[in-house]
Amino acid sequence: MEIANSIILLLLISAGIGGAAQNASGRAHEVHVGVILDLGSLVGKIAITSISLALEDFYSAHQNYSTKLVLHIRDSMSDDVRAAAEALDLLENYRVETIIGPEKSSQAIFISDLGTKSHVPIISFTVTSPTISPSSLPYFVRATLNDSAQVSCIASTIKAYGWRKAVPIYEDTEYGRGIIPYLVDVLQEDNVHVPYRSVIPLSATSEQISIELYKLMTMQTRVYIVHMSSALASTLFMKAKELGMMEKGYVWIITDGVTNLIDSLHPSVVESMNGALGIQFYVPKSTKLNNFTVRWNMRYQIDNPTDPPSKLSIFGLWSYDTIWALAQAAEKVGLANATFQKPISKQKSTDLETLETSSNGPELLKEILHSTFIGLSGRFDLSDRQLAVSTFKVINVIGRGWRDIGFWTAQNGLVRKLNQSQSTRIHSSLLPDLNPVIWPGESIDIPRGFEVPANGKKLRVGVRSSGYQQFIKVEKDQITGATKATGLSVDVFEEAVKILPYAVPYEYVLFGSPEDTSSGSYDDFVYQVHLKVYDIVIGDITIRYNRTFYADFTVPYTESGIAMVVPVKDTVNKNTWIFLKPLTPGMWLGSIVFFIYTVVAEEIVERFLSRIVMIVWLCFLLVVTSSYTANLTSMLTVQQLQPTVNHIQELLKSGEIVGYHRGSYVKGLLEELGFESSKIKPYDTPDDFHNALSRGSSNGGIAALMHEVPYIKLFLANHCKGYTMVGPIYKAAGFGYALAKGNPLLGDISQAMLNVTGGDTMIQIEKKWMEYQNDCQNVGPVTGSSSLTFANFRGLFILTGAASTSSLFIALIIYAYKKQHRSTNMKNDNKQVGENRTDEENNEPQEGNQGVVTEECVQFRDGSEQVCNRNPHTSTAACNGSAANEITKS
């Protein structure tokens, strides 16, 4: 009854609009436009109100236009066949120039074909499925966004929070299925795996939805992408809340088909969505939009008096802008002489075959595609037969409403603020640059995105026996048939699982047979996770680049690399001049030069400075002598054991045979280095290696064993005498565990392994399995003792040189000073003597002056000078008042 009343009311509105158009001006030409919507749906009701207001506003602003749109509104009642029938009726009986609609993607394909046949543009502001392509339907125009436009925003959101898996939940319709291929492709580009797709029929009951949700609860993935109509989504979230799937740990992302209508959903439905994220089309705020919203709210209540209040959505804005674009196009074309051409009649023809063709359709379509203006929804541009990708908001549903947490644009990606450029974004290795989110269960902690359900399957851990059982040994229980694994690799894994923040039940599954360590290569073993045979494989697995194409690896738990094990030879050094080898020629030459320089300096400087020079030189000699003695001793002892091969190129040049561990990737590496296949032999056990090395290449054995460093250390621990390690000759990432691509356990397992390997636990594990490997002194490359160079003692040379040079410099200063002082005193004394002689010559000696004593400067044999008192009568001088220093005047 309610739907019937709505139809009558809308027909009256349609008739009123048409009558107004006719009465407005006798010269205005009527342009008949069909409108096909589901008048009982929320979108249909919102759109009809917006369309009626759009006609009023447009012709109020353009009263002088010569054309008027006359609407013929039809109700599809959500039925595809009825929608097609209404379209045929509009084309045949009303000769409409354009059809606005339909509402559903499933209805659009057939109606668009009708438009193509009749040359009538079909404009839909609700058909978003990518399967409805304007390129294949030339008269179809999408006055909305393609659903594929939002998949990049969804993928960016998932990537921002570090989730590795996601499950799409979508309705089984053209609309629901259309987005999935595009969504999966974009997610895979970001290394996000889609382990399951949940398809819900449009007619699904609450019980059927509950069964599907229960199935999702048994899986590990907790990130869900919901793409369906608002009616089906409402039922889904109500059931999800009832089953406890809106609690902590769950992640729900809703596409814009629902979030664009979230303000019009029932409050109880919105509350059931609390904590979910949603993608929503961004509409710029404006005064015009605010004023229109007020008018729209009033008109909607008039149009739907028995309905609860609803809010204007983006679909209402797009329908409003569509009417403006169509009205402008009709005026530019001037449809006064519109005609429809009948096809050539055929006997027993159907309605489709007799469908008339619009002569003005191509021109009208052209003008519609040229429509570009700023409407209520923002920039409205149909030049690409659909709206261009613009801006999306990411919202967080809270209480009975929502709030923004960020924006997405094709230029800047996901940002917190709309005008925030990439250069001003603040990145964090832990948190995305978005506003805080209140997650399901009112949690503020970012969900991990997966859980291991208590009633789910156990984690299948693939294991295989190793040639070195210290790493991993696998056995089958004879009674229960269960697989048991022990070893360093197993202990590290089990310790890591223990410290995970959640329980992970697991079971070991054997690859090959327990006794056979050569059953299949390690590449085959790792590939099993890609084939879903195992969830994770553990053991002495080297992290290699080629394996990363089909598996993800944890962080390494031990070092790695390829090195050579070769026999050692006795090389007692009988060189006559061995005593010269501890020092390089440069060191010998430098020592001699500094010795001569120091001796010369010591002879030149005065006694107290020469002692400083000698002390520094003795310290220098003490250090150099000790180093010389130690190096010479090392050369006479350590160098007695030297490897028979120092470099892999020697093996290539001599054509020697080399060995490797069967099943290892080392064979491929040796072939890449240039070894012929006939020169490469596989072996299985350490005893096989020992026997082959002891025989040698010429006796059916091998000259060197190419192996990974951890294995070599274990081999040398048991066969210490007679062998040594040379290398590494090739770097590797180390041993780790392999998981299937996109497995969400990867991050947590790696983090737990870092905790294990970085603490005391790893020390205890290594001591348990490999304690004896450090007893051998041959572990590691034997390089021998090298000669000591001048650079090794640069500091000592600088010190002794500085001491000698400083002493010489000080001595020179003292010598210069004395020389200058002596010269000055001589000049003064000579001047005084001259003056005294002049006085004696000019003045006769008088009796009273005969006893006068004079002062005179006297120089002694040792070069010192003193001032003496000379008696003119006795011709003697007393120096420093001491009679013992008297001298006789010569």
Side-chain angles (χ1 to χ4, degrees):
M1 186 66 182
E2 179 182 346
I3 296 177
N5 292 336
S6 300
I7 294 174
I8 294 172
L9 178 62
L10 291 170
L11 291 175
L12 292 174
I13 293 173
S14 175
I17 293 172
Q22 285 183 322
N23 297 332
S25 173
R27 294 173 297 176
H29 177 74
E30 293 182 350
V31 179
H32 295 276
V33 177
V35 178
I36 302 176
L37 295 171
D38 181 4
L39 302 182
S41 69
L42 180 60
V43 172
K45 293 177 180 180
I46 291 174
I48 287 297
T49 299
S50 297
I51 288 173
S52 62
L53 287 174
L55 282 175
E56 294 176 9
D57 293 348
F58 183 85
Y59 290 114
S60 174
H62 304 90
Q63 297 182 8
N64 60 338
Y65 270 27
S66 60
T67 56
K68 292 284 186 178
L69 300 184
V70 177
L71 303 184
H72 301 272
I73 301 175
R74 299 291 185 269
D75 186 5
S76 67
M77 295 185 178
S78 193
D79 183 81
D80 294 355
V81 176
R82 183 180 178 86
E86 295 293 352
L88 279 172
D89 178 62
L90 290 170
L91 291 171
E92 290 181 340
N93 300 324
Y94 294 89
R95 292 187 173 184
V96 293
E97 300 287 345
T98 305
I99 293 179
I100 296 176
E103 185 175 328
K104 291 186 176 182
S105 298
S106 57
Q107 303 166 356
I109 298 177
F110 181 74
I111 294 178
S112 296
D113 285 334
L114 293 178
T116 301
K117 185 174 181 62
S118 60
H119 293 180
V120 172
I122 309 297
I123 310 174
S124 176
F125 51 84
T126 57
V127 173
T128 58
S129 175
T131 57
I132 314 298
S133 173
S135 60
S136 60
L137 299 170
Y139 277 82
F140 174 73
V141 180
R142 197 195 312 269
T144 180
L145 292 179
N146 189 322
D147 271 338
S148 63
Q150 62 181 316
V151 297
S152 295
C153 178
I154 296 172
S156 297
T157 304
I158 292 175
K159 184 178 180 180
Y161 290 103
W163 300 316
R164 300 293 302 275
K165 287 187 178 182
V167 172
I169 306 175
Y170 57 96
E171 66 179 45
D172 191 13
T173 62
E174 194 73 31
Y175 163 72
R177 295 186 298 266
I179 193 178
I180 299 303
Y182 301 87
L183 178 63
V184 172
D185 287 346
V186 173
L187 290 176
Q188 289 180 346
E189 289 178 3
D190 289 335
N191 294 322
V192 178
H193 182 54
V194 179
Y196 177 74
R197 303 180 188 187
S198 177
V199 185
I200 299 180
L202 193 61
S203 58
T205 63
S206 295
E207 183 179 354
Q208 290 174 321
I209 293 175
S210 297
I211 293 173
E212 183 64 22
L213 291 176
Y214 275 122
K215 184 187 296 184
L216 294 176
M217 292 175 67
T218 64
M219 301 177 185
Q220 291 185 356
T221 308
R222 290 292 182 263
V223 180
Y224 308 120
I225 304 170
V226 179
H227 180 67
M228 55 184 59
S229 64
S230 58
L232 187 58
S234 299
T235 305
L236 176 76
F237 279 100
M238 294 292 285
K239 296 303 296 183
K241 182 178 180 180
E242 180 182 322
L243 298 178
M245 296 181 69
M246 299 304 297
E247 299 298 328
K248 182 177 180 180
Y250 287 88
V251 178
W252 296 85
I253 301 175
I254 312 171
T255 60
D256 63 356
V258 175
T259 50
N260 285 335
L261 294 170
I262 194 168
D263 292 329
S264 300
L265 299 179
H266 193 276
S268 62
V269 174
V270 178
E271 288 180 348
S272 70
M273 297 179 177
N274 271 201
L277 301 180
I279 311 301
Q280 192 178 78
F281 184 83
Y282 170 72
V283 179
K285 294 181 180 180
S286 65
T287 303
K288 182 180 178 181
L289 177 59
N290 293 337
N291 295 334
F292 175 78
T293 302
V294 174
R295 294 173 51 222
W296 186 92
N297 289 333
M298 297 175 61
R299 176 63 65 86
Y300 185 85
Q301 286 299 107
I302 295 174
D303 293 345
N304 305 277
T306 60
D307 288 359
S310 184
K311 291 187 179 181
L312 178 63
S313 71
I314 185 61
F315 297 109
L317 300 181
W318 280 331
S319 62
Y320 183 95
D321 290 340
T322 298
I323 293 295
W324 276 65
L326 179 58
Q328 290 175 347
E331 180 66 20
K332 290 179 182 178
V333 174
L335 299 178
N337 298 319
T339 60
F340 281 80
Q341 300 176 354
K342 291 185 178 182
I344 299 175
S345 61
K346 298 180 180 179
Q347 293 181 351
K348 298 181 180 180
S349 60
T350 63
D351 289 344
L352 294 179
E353 292 174 339
T354 60
L355 199 63
E356 296 181 353
T357 302
S358 172
S359 59
N360 293 304
E363 188 67 20
L364 179 60
L365 175 64
K366 180 180 178 181
E367 292 300 329
I368 291 174
L369 298 181
H370 286 168
S371 299
T372 302
F373 57 91
I374 303 299
L376 290 179
S377 61
R379 182 173 178 81
F380 196 81
D381 182 2
L382 298 176
S383 59
D384 197 29
R385 296 180 179 268
Q386 62 184 6
L387 291 183
V389 178
S390 183
T391 303
F392 289 101
K393 291 192 299 185
V394 182
I395 65 170
N396 180 206
V397 182
I398 302 174
R400 295 189 174 184
W402 50 270
R403 67 177 181 183
D404 298 338
I405 66 166
F407 298 86
W408 182 91
T409 62
Q411 295 77 21
N412 297 327
L414 201 59
V415 293
R416 179 180 300 185
K417 298 179 181 179
L418 186 58
N419 297 323
Q420 182 178 350
S421 63
Q422 287 182 329
S423 59
T424 59
R425 293 172 65 180
I426 302 175
H427 294 277
S428 170
S429 58
L430 299 177
L431 298 174
D433 185 28
L434 298 170
N435 291 320
V437 176
I438 304 298
W439 302 99
E442 299 184 353
S443 172
I444 60 174
D445 298 326
I446 298 176
R448 291 191 301 270
F450 77 100
E451 295 286 346
V452 178
N455 57 344
K457 296 180 180 179
K458 291 183 178 180
L459 193 72
R460 293 166 299 172
V461 183
V463 291
R464 63 171 292 170
S465 292
S466 169
Y468 292 91
Q469 297 186 353
Q470 291 88 348
F471 280 103
I472 182 169
K473 178 182 179 181
V474 182
E475 297 176 326
K476 274 279 190 180
D477 190 293
Q478 298 298 326
I479 300 176
T480 63
T483 301
K484 295 182 179 180
T486 57
L488 183 144
S489 301
V490 177
D491 284 1
V492 172
F493 171 75
E494 292 180 349
E495 289 296 328
V497 171
K498 288 178 182 178
I499 61 178
L500 288 175
Y502 45 85
V504 179
Y506 59 88
E507 61 179 349
Y508 294 120
V509 183
L510 179 63
F511 175 77
S513 61
E515 298 81 11
D516 188 3
T517 61
S518 60
S519 56
S521 68
Y522 273 78
D523 287 341
D524 296 335
F525 182 44
V526 174
Y527 195 72
Q528 301 306 304
V529 297
H530 177 72
L531 299 176
K532 309 299 183 183
V533 176
Y534 310 123
D535 297 312
I536 182 174
V537 292
I538 68 171
D540 45 351
I541 304 169
T542 304
I543 302 172
R544 297 200 66 213
Y545 173 71
N546 67 306
R547 293 171 180 170
T548 60
F549 289 107
Y550 48 81
D552 285 338
F553 284 90
T554 64
V555 295
Y557 62 88
T558 185
E559 63 176 340
S560 189
I562 305 299
M564 296 190 299
V565 177
V566 297
V568 293
K569 58 184 178 180
D570 187 3
T571 56
V572 178
N573 204 323
K574 300 177 181 180
N575 189 350
T576 304
W577 303 100
I578 184 64
F579 69 91
L580 294 177
K581 289 187 67 66
L583 304 180
T584 61
M587 181 63 184
W588 281 113
L589 179 61
S591 299
I592 294 172
V593 170
F594 268 79
F595 172 73
I596 296 173
Y597 178 65
T598 303
V599 171
V600 172
E602 196 273 337
E603 290 294 328
I604 294 175
V605 301
E606 295 185 8
R607 180 174 301 176
F608 79 96
L609 290 175
S610 65
R611 292 177 179 174
I612 296 176
V613 174
M614 186 57 63
I615 291 172
V616 175
W617 176 250
L618 289 176
C619 292
F620 171 82
L621 286 179
L622 178 63
V623 175
V624 173
T625 302
S626 301
S627 301
Y628 170 87
T629 303
N631 207 26
L632 179 60
T633 303
S634 177
M635 289 182 175
L636 293 174
T637 55
V638 174
Q639 282 193 346
Q640 290 179 2
L641 295 177
Q642 283 297 299
T644 55
V645 179
N646 291 301
H647 199 275
I648 194 170
Q649 294 299 326
E650 298 178 16
L651 297 170
L652 284 169
K653 290 179 181 179
S654 60
E656 299 284 355
I657 298 176
V658 297
Y660 73 98
H661 188 202
R662 192 188 306 273
S664 172
Y665 70 94
V666 174
K667 179 183 179 181
L669 176 62
L670 292 174
E671 291 175 345
E672 291 177 5
L673 292 174
F675 284 92
E676 299 177 3
S677 298
S678 60
K679 301 293 184 181
I680 307 173
K681 288 186 176 182
Y683 297 94
D684 297 317
T685 65
D687 290 337
D688 295 339
F689 302 153
H690 169 64
N691 294 332
L693 286 169
S694 61
R695 290 198 304 270
S697 179
S698 59
N699 296 318
I702 55 175
L705 170 68
M706 304 298 172
H707 218 348
E708 295 179 75
V709 172
Y711 299 137
I712 291 177
K713 291 183 177 180
L714 287 174
F715 174 79
L716 293 178
N718 293 319
H719 303 86
C720 184
K721 294 182 180 180
Y723 303 108
T724 188
M725 183 175 77
V726 177
I729 61 173
Y730 180 81
K731 292 292 184 181
F735 291 168
Y737 307 141
L739 299 90
K741 283 283 188 181
N743 193 317
L745 274 174
L746 178 67
D748 289 346
I749 286 287
S750 293
Q751 187 175 2
M753 288 174 63
L754 287 174
N755 195 333
V756 173
T757 57
D760 183 65
T761 304
M762 190 64 184
I763 297 176
Q764 299 302 321
I765 293 174
E766 288 181 342
K767 185 180 295 185
K768 174 182 177 182
W769 295 104
M770 301 182 179
E771 182 177 11
Y772 53 84
Q773 71 168 329
N774 295 323
D775 297 338
C776 181
Q777 300 300 318
N778 292 356
V779 177
V782 178
T783 57
S785 299
S786 59
S787 300
L788 299 174
T789 65
F790 185 88
N792 296 134
F793 298 95
R794 185 182 291 113
L796 285 175
F797 280 113
I798 292 174
L799 181 61
T800 186
S804 299
T805 303
S806 300
S807 299
L808 283 173
F809 185 69
I810 294 172
L812 289 174
I813 292 175
I814 294 173
Y815 175 76
Y817 173 78
K818 288 183 177 181
K819 185 176 180 181
Q820 179 67 28
H821 181 68
R822 183 168 60 249
S823 176
T824 302
N825 289 340
M826 290 291 292
K827 290 180 181 179
N828 292 335
D829 292 343
N830 291 337
K831 182 178 180 182
Q832 183 65 35
V833 171
E835 291 177 355
N836 291 339
R837 288 179 179 174
T838 302
D839 291 340
E840 291 178 358
E841 292 174 356
N842 293 335
N843 301 312
E844 294 181 358
Q846 298 182 9
E847 186 175 354
N849 294 331
Q850 293 178 354
V852 178
V853 178
T854 63
E855 292 184 352
E856 185 174 323
C857 181
V858 179
Q859 183 173 6
F860 295 93
R861 290 190 184 94
D862 62 359
S864 60
E865 298 175 349
Q866 294 191 21
V867 179
C868 304
N869 298 323
R870 182 175 296 280
N871 191 322
H873 284 289
T874 62
S875 297
T876 62
C879 298
N880 295 332
S882 175
N885 289 331
E886 292 184 359
I887 61 173
T888 303
K889 180 179 182 181
S890 58

